[in-house]
Every structure is written in C-alpha cells, then in structure tokens.
Amino acid sequence: MRNFIKNLIIILLVFFVISGIIMVYNAPVQKVSNITLNELANQINDGRVKEIQVEGEKLNITLQDDTKESSRKEAESSLSESLKNYGVDPEKLRSVSIEIKDATTAAFWVNTIIPFLLPFIIIGVFLWFMMRSAQRGNNQALSFGMSRARLIPPQKNNKKKITFADVAGSEEAKEELKEIVEFLKHPKKFLDLGARIPKGVLLLGSPGTGKTLIAKAVAGEASVPFFSISGSEFVEMFVGVGASRVRDLFKQAKKNAPAIVFIDEIDAVGRHRGAGLGGGHDEREQTLNQILVEMDGFETNTNVIVVAATNRPDVLDPALLRPGRFDRRVVLDLPDIKEREAILKIHTKNKPLTKEIDFRKIAARTPGFSGADISNLVNEAAILAARRGKKMISEEEMRVSIEKVILGPERKSKVLNVKEKEITAYHEAGHALVASSLPNADPVQKVSVISRGQAAGYTLNVPQEDKRLYSRAYFVDELAVLLGGYVSEKNIFGDVTTGASNDLERATDIARKLVTRFGMSALGPRTFGRKEELVFLGKEISEEKNYSESTATKIDQEVSKFIQDAYKTAEKIITEKRETLERIAKTLLEKETIEQEEFNELIGNTNKTNTDTNVMKQK
C-alpha cells in the first residue's frame, strides 16, 4: 500500500507537469482579435497592414503598430484571389509582406495528437508502475528463501583486517585455530597425507569472551571470504524457509571456497530435537536437519569450514556434536590477570593515557571480567574523562569505571538520612572486619557507604592469587563474612534491617550447595537432586528429587548448621573487636569511602594485600 501511494503521487506530479507545459506552450503571448476578410481588405486599402502570415487557412495579421489579429481565408481559393474579390487595391496589397508557412510536424503533434494521446500515456505510465511494484514483490517472494548471511570479503588492507594479534589471551584456542588457518591456506599438503579437513569448529564460552572476534581473526589470517549469520535468521514462520536458506548459504560458500561459514548463537536452531512442543516437523527442527545434511555432505576436498559459537553447549543436539560435523570444540574461558592486562593494552591502544597508569593494577581490580567487560570499562573511562574536561585518561577514571561496571553508577540523588547512613556504615564495617579477621577470607579492597545500583553501600573483597578450586574452609569463612553485616546491625542497634536480605540469600545458597552439590557436609560425599532444563520453556529448570523426605530433613539441618556456625563466628569476632568496628564505622561516616591501605591501618594489619587478584565479590 505504501508503494502504491508513492507511485500514485509520482504519476499525478508527472500529469500536472505535462499539462502545465502544454498550457504554457499553447497560451498566447497577448490577446489576438479575430476579424473578417472584409475588415482585412479595408485595413489593407487603408495601409494599416504590415504583414500577413498564412498557416493553412489561418491568417496571422500584424498591423503597422504591431497589433496582432487573426482571420481565416476561403478554403477554395488563394489569399490573393479572396482579397481581390473583396476589392483590395493590387498596389496596396504589394506593400504588405505575405508569408506562407506550412504546418510543421512538431506543431501538428503538439496541437493535435498529444492532447488526444495524453490520457493514454498517463494510464500507460500508471500501469507500468503497478507492474513494476508487483514484479518487485514477486522478486522478494522468490528471494525469501535465500540466505541472509553477510559476506565479508578478504581484507586486502592490513589496517582493517582482524588477525590473531587483535585477540589477547586465549592462547590455547588460538593454537587450535591456527591449524584451521593452515587447512584453508595449504589444503593440498594435508590431503596428500590422507588427512580430512575439519568440517566444523564449535566455539564454547561465556558471553563476551570473544567467540565472534576470534572467528573473524581466523578469516583474517586465512584471507578467505567470511559468511556471518545468526542462528535465529534461519527460522521463519513459513515452513521450509529455514532449510532453503541453509541450502543457499552452503551453496554460496562452496562457490567462494575456500571460505568460512560463521553461525553465531547456533543453539537457536541446534537445540535437542524432540524437546519442543512442535513435534518432529516444526520449522526449527527442519532447519537443523538441513544443517546436519549439508555439513555431512561436504566433499573431502571442499575447503569450507563451519565455525559456530554458543554459550549453551548442553542444549545442542547430539547429532550436531558428533565427529564429522563439529570435529573440534574450542573453549574460551574468562581471562586471567595476565590476559586481562593484554586485553587492556589492546583496547587502550589508540586512546590518550597518562603515564602513571599501571595496567597490572587495573587488571588486578577486574577479576571475572570478560573481554567485552574490559572494552566497556575502557569506554566508560574515556567518557568519564571527557565529562571531566580532561584530555587524557588517568588511572582514577579507570578505577571509578570499574565500580560503575560492577555495581552501576553512583546514586547521588539517593541521600540516606542520618540513622540509615549510620546503620549502613556499621553493616559494611561488619563485613570488612570479619573478612580481615579470618584466614581464608579474601582481603578487603574497598569499603564504601556511597549508594551504587541497588546497594546502599558495598564491600569489595579480592583474593591474593588466581583461584580455580575452592576449599570447604574458604566457603565456611565466606559464610561468616556474609553474615558479618547482619550480626553487626543486631549487636550495635539491637535490631536488623532489610539491608541484609541479599547477604542472607547468598549465604543460604552457598550453604545448600555445600550440602547438595559439593559433598562438604556431614551427609558425606554425594549430591542430592538432579536438575533438568525444560528446553521448550527457555530458562525454566526442574529439579528431580532423588532422595527421601527424611534425607530432605537432614539436608535442611545441615544447611542451618552451616548458617548457625557462621553466625557464631561473626558474632565472636565483632564482640571481641568492638573498638575496631567502631573505628571503621566512624571513619566511613566521616569519609564515606575507605581504600585498602587506609583500612589496613585502621585494623592494624598490613599482611593482606592484593598484588595478584582474580575474583571480586561484592555486597
């Protein structure tokens, strides 16, 4: 309908333009009066006629004063005969300039044919526009089943090309993918030895770990065409469209071989078949079936490699993961401190920085950050520096941006009253004091009563070194740290507030995992319950209860025991170190924020520092 209205407006505009041109062409310059031949004869005898122009039967008369008149002669006779019959003096007639002008073809068309044909021309133009719109719609219908993949041709300009040098960290993943690059660059040396080129590489990792970036780096290193598409772009409401797009995608890839086909978020179409509500004939499953057929149907010497990315490998169909389809699985983990430092250097390469920035320190303050998080951190620091009117990014902007990424922006408009601020100060002081008093707890990085995000205050704890495994002693001390704020409120004010709700929730979750998942309770080395994801319901997870009611009672008792022991530990520390707690809380009320060095001075401890850190916990 939108195209029809547009075409109709164009046709009307063309009509008005043509009509205007014809009207201007036919409009007389000045008003011409018609006279009879008898009047003309009298004017000639009086010597008033200067010129007569004959166009067929029409007479265009110009008088001596340049006045224009018109008349018509007799069709059966010439002009001289007609005027002679009307008594014109031959001598007078000779003094008049007579010009006989034949009607031209152009004038004939303009004056006669075009006014007649104009309506037909307009109708023809209108029909042409209508047919063109219909043809465009037919073309769109025919191209509906074609691939929507975006083709990124090989970049000849090294400045625009993404290579492994642009991907920091993930060294093992890059080594694995370098073999894929060799396959694409020099396939003959592998085929001569009877080696089969891998048909698929599955990139696994948390969101933001650089799966898409490393896939582009493979294409950049190999200098081959790169077809990029999302798994959701295959699925449409019409049956068979997804399978048609898959066929067209692989057809294009084979024509451009050697090439890479990158399917992002493949779990959108690659989920386990038979788990949905649509039976075995829904559109998503037909699309997956076509992907399986295309991947398994490659010839041995076809240099097309499928690279797919997902952060949910557990929901993929087993047929998609078997050898012969996705032969290799490359895992991209969250970066450690050295890798975070390298990623920081890449993202700050073209940004003005002050000389005192220590990338190692910044990397130490960003445990658990992915590559995307670090990129966002650097961008936030640049925005903050610009808002402050600076020409260069300093370490101060970096530190503030870390807290903004973790907790959110400062909520300066959320001003606590005096009583609430005092409760928050003692609450955070309780967390920090318990954390600094237990041997297995992480050192305190920062304590603040400035509201950020949903938290009225926060305490940041970081470990001294990278951790992959956590012990029972660590979790026991962590439970006591989480209850430190609750115990501090109760001991100081004789009451508790809702500020401890998140602490209690996290503590209960850790205690239950200690019993049901980690085998760290008196119930022994076993797990309780089995979780199953209901795929067709998205994130909903059901837990199968594979234990008796009496065992459930024991689980609850063990969870409560962990919580009670942690409460007693936190209460003992806060009672024995009441003066230190008061000192920390008063400093918070005065300064609102305490950094690590000042905190260690307040508690008289300089042993717990954060030279190499990797995991940050937040209140």
Side-chain angles (χ1 to χ4, degrees):
M1 178 60 68
R2 183 180 300 174
N3 290 335
F4 173 77
I5 295 174
K6 179 180 177 181
N7 294 335
L8 182 60
I9 292 173
I10 293 174
I11 292 170
L12 291 175
L13 289 174
V14 172
F15 171 76
F16 287 129
V17 169
I18 294 175
S19 300
I21 293 173
I22 294 175
M23 289 175 65
V24 170
Y25 181 83
N26 290 330
V29 178
Q30 60 184 10
K31 188 175 182 180
V32 178
S33 59
N34 293 318
I35 61 175
T36 63
L37 284 177
N38 189 27
E39 292 174 337
L40 176 59
N42 294 332
Q43 289 178 352
I44 293 173
N45 289 331
D46 295 339
R48 296 168 53 193
V49 179
K50 179 181 180 181
E51 181 184 4
I52 299 175
Q53 188 180 69
V54 183
E55 291 185 5
E57 296 179 2
K58 185 179 179 182
L59 303 176
N60 297 321
I61 305 164
T62 304
L63 302 181
Q64 295 293 343
D65 58 358
D66 293 332
T67 303
K68 303 291 184 180
E69 293 179 344
S70 66
S71 181
R72 299 189 71 84
K73 74 178 186 65
E74 297 174 350
E76 296 81 6
S77 60
S78 64
L79 175 62
S80 58
E81 292 178 357
S82 298
L83 294 176
K84 186 177 180 180
N85 293 333
Y86 281 93
V88 175
D89 186 356
E91 294 296 331
K92 297 288 186 180
L93 184 60
R94 291 192 191 98
S95 62
V96 178
S97 176
I98 300 175
E99 180 185 357
I100 299 175
K101 186 176 181 181
D102 294 332
T104 61
T105 305
F108 174 77
W109 280 97
V110 171
N111 296 325
T112 307
I113 305 300
I114 289 184
F116 176 75
L117 292 179
L118 185 60
F120 297 98
I121 294 174
I122 294 175
I123 294 173
V125 172
F126 177 76
L127 293 176
W128 178 75
F129 271 105
M130 294 294 293
M131 293 179 64
R132 193 180 69 165
S133 300
Q135 186 176 7
R136 187 186 299 118
N138 291 334
N139 291 336
Q140 290 177 353
L142 293 174
S143 64
F144 196 68
M146 297 180 66
S147 170
R148 303 292 178 88
R150 293 161 293 281
L151 172 60
I152 302 176
Q155 298 290 343
K156 296 181 180 179
N157 189 350
N158 292 330
K159 293 182 179 179
K160 296 182 179 180
K161 184 167 65 174
I162 298 176
T163 63
F164 286 139
D166 300 310
V167 183
S170 306
E171 296 301 326
E172 294 82 2
K174 286 194 286 188
E175 287 296 326
E176 189 78 10
L177 293 171
K178 282 179 182 178
E179 295 184 10
I180 304 299
V181 174
E182 285 295 316
F183 278 125
L184 292 170
K185 279 186 173 181
H186 311 290
K188 188 175 183 303
K189 71 177 183 179
F190 295 96
L191 296 175
D192 290 344
L193 294 173
R196 178 173 54 84
I197 296 176
K199 296 179 180 178
V201 179
L202 186 62
L203 302 178
L204 311 174
S206 303
T209 51
K211 298 184 291 294
T212 304
L213 180 64
I214 204 168
K216 289 183 179 179
V218 173
E221 290 283 346
S223 296
V224 298
F226 183 79
F227 293 87
S228 176
I229 192 170
S230 173
S232 60
E233 293 184 64
F234 288 115
V235 182
E236 293 283 353
M237 64 179 292
F238 302 106
V239 177
V241 172
S244 175
R245 289 179 178 176
V246 171
R247 287 191 295 270
D248 186 64
L249 171 61
F250 282 92
K251 181 180 179 181
Q252 292 182 36
K254 290 177 184 179
K255 287 182 179 178
N256 292 273
I260 291 177
V261 175
F262 177 63
I263 305 176
D264 199 7
E265 305 296 343
I266 194 174
D267 51 279
V269 292
R271 284 176 177 263
H272 200 294
R273 288 172 293 180
L277 296 174
H281 299 284
D282 63 35
E283 173 64 7
R284 182 187 58 79
E285 292 194 2
Q286 296 302 322
T287 305
L288 174 58
N289 291 337
Q290 190 62 45
I291 292 176
L292 297 177
V293 170
E294 292 291 341
M295 290 189 68
D296 209 21
F298 281 170
E299 297 85 357
T300 307
N301 59 350
T302 301
N303 298 353
V304 177
I305 295 179
V306 181
V307 180
T310 181
N311 50 29
R312 296 298 310 278
D314 53 309
V315 302
L316 295 180
D317 193 274
L320 196 63
L321 300 176
R322 73 162 177 82
R325 291 197 173 107
F326 283 104
D327 303 283
R328 299 191 176 189
R329 302 182 192 180
V330 178
V331 179
L332 281 79
D333 293 321
L334 291 173
D336 58 22
I337 185 170
K338 293 181 180 179
E339 293 171 338
R340 292 198 302 274
E341 184 178 358
I343 294 172
L344 274 168
K345 290 179 180 178
I346 286 180
H347 287 297
T348 57
K349 186 182 298 182
N350 298 321
K351 292 180 173 60
L353 305 174
T354 56
K355 295 181 179 179
E356 72 273 6
I357 288 185
D358 187 346
F359 288 109
R360 183 75 176 185
K361 269 187 185 177
I362 302 299
R365 285 174 171 261
T366 55
F369 275 40
S370 65
D373 292 328
I374 294 174
S375 175
N376 186 34
L377 160 66
V378 174
N379 186 60
E380 289 289 346
I383 293 174
L384 182 59
R387 287 173 55 191
R388 291 179 174 180
K390 294 184 177 182
K391 300 297 182 182
M392 303 181 77
I393 303 172
S394 67
E395 190 169 321
E396 173 64 21
E397 282 78 38
M398 288 284 193
R399 291 190 178 188
V400 174
S401 298
I402 291 172
E403 295 176 19
K404 184 177 182 180
V405 171
I406 295 175
L407 299 169
E410 291 185 4
R411 300 178 64 186
K412 296 181 180 179
S413 60
K414 185 181 178 182
V415 181
L416 300 176
N417 59 43
V418 177
K419 184 64 176 177
E420 288 180 341
K421 191 172 183 179
E422 185 181 10
I423 293 173
T424 303
Y426 276 97
H427 183 101
E428 300 304 332
H431 283 305
L433 180 61
V434 175
S436 63
S437 303
L438 295 174
N440 299 300
D442 296 327
V444 176
Q445 176 75 29
K446 184 176 182 178
V447 188
S448 177
V449 292
I450 298 176
S451 178
R452 280 186 178 272
Q454 299 297 320
Y458 57 93
T459 301
L460 299 180
N461 306 72
V462 293
Q464 290 181 320
E465 57 186 8
D466 294 344
K467 288 185 178 181
R468 299 295 181 186
L469 301 175
Y470 297 89
S471 64
R472 182 182 185 276
Y474 171 81
F475 285 119
V476 169
D477 286 358
E478 180 65 17
L479 287 173
V481 173
L482 288 171
L483 292 176
Y486 179 88
V487 174
S488 178
E489 286 186 25
K490 190 172 184 180
N491 284 12
I492 299 298
F493 303 101
D495 197 2
V496 292
T497 65
T498 57
S501 60
N502 181 254
D503 298 328
L504 299 178
E505 183 179 351
R506 290 168 59 194
T508 304
D509 183 61
I510 291 175
R512 183 163 291 277
K513 286 182 177 179
L514 286 172
V515 179
T516 62
R517 291 286 174 267
F518 304 148
M520 295 179 177
S521 69
L523 297 182
R526 62 160 293 187
T527 61
F528 299 92
R530 184 173 58 193
K531 291 185 178 181
E532 294 182 354
E533 181 178 359
L534 303 178
V535 178
F536 59 88
L537 293 179
K539 283 188 173 181
E540 186 164 336
I541 296 176
S542 65
E543 184 176 33
E544 180 183 351
K545 190 175 180 181
N546 57 0
Y547 48 86
S548 64
E549 291 298 328
S550 60
T551 303
T553 303
K554 293 179 182 179
I555 291 173
D556 292 338
Q557 292 173 351
E558 286 295 313
V559 171
S560 298
K561 185 175 183 302
F562 273 115
I563 300 295
Q564 290 300 323
D565 290 345
Y567 181 90
K568 292 177 182 178
T569 301
E571 186 177 33
K572 181 180 178 182
I573 293 172
I574 288 175
T575 303
E576 293 178 353
K577 300 183 178 182
R578 177 71 175 263
E579 294 182 0
T580 305
L581 179 71
E582 297 277 358
R583 190 161 56 249
I584 297 171
K586 289 179 180 178
T587 305
L588 278 174
L589 289 172
E590 179 184 352
K591 297 184 176 180
E592 291 188 335
T593 299
I594 303 176
E595 293 289 346
Q596 185 182 21
E597 294 78 7
E598 185 178 2
F599 177 79
N600 287 335
E601 291 178 4
L602 288 173
I603 64 175
N605 181 15
T606 58
N607 293 327
K608 282 196 173 186
T609 59
N610 62 322
T611 55
D612 293 319
T613 59
N614 192 46
V615 179
M616 180 179 291
K617 295 179 179 58
Q618 64 189 50
K619 157 81 176 45

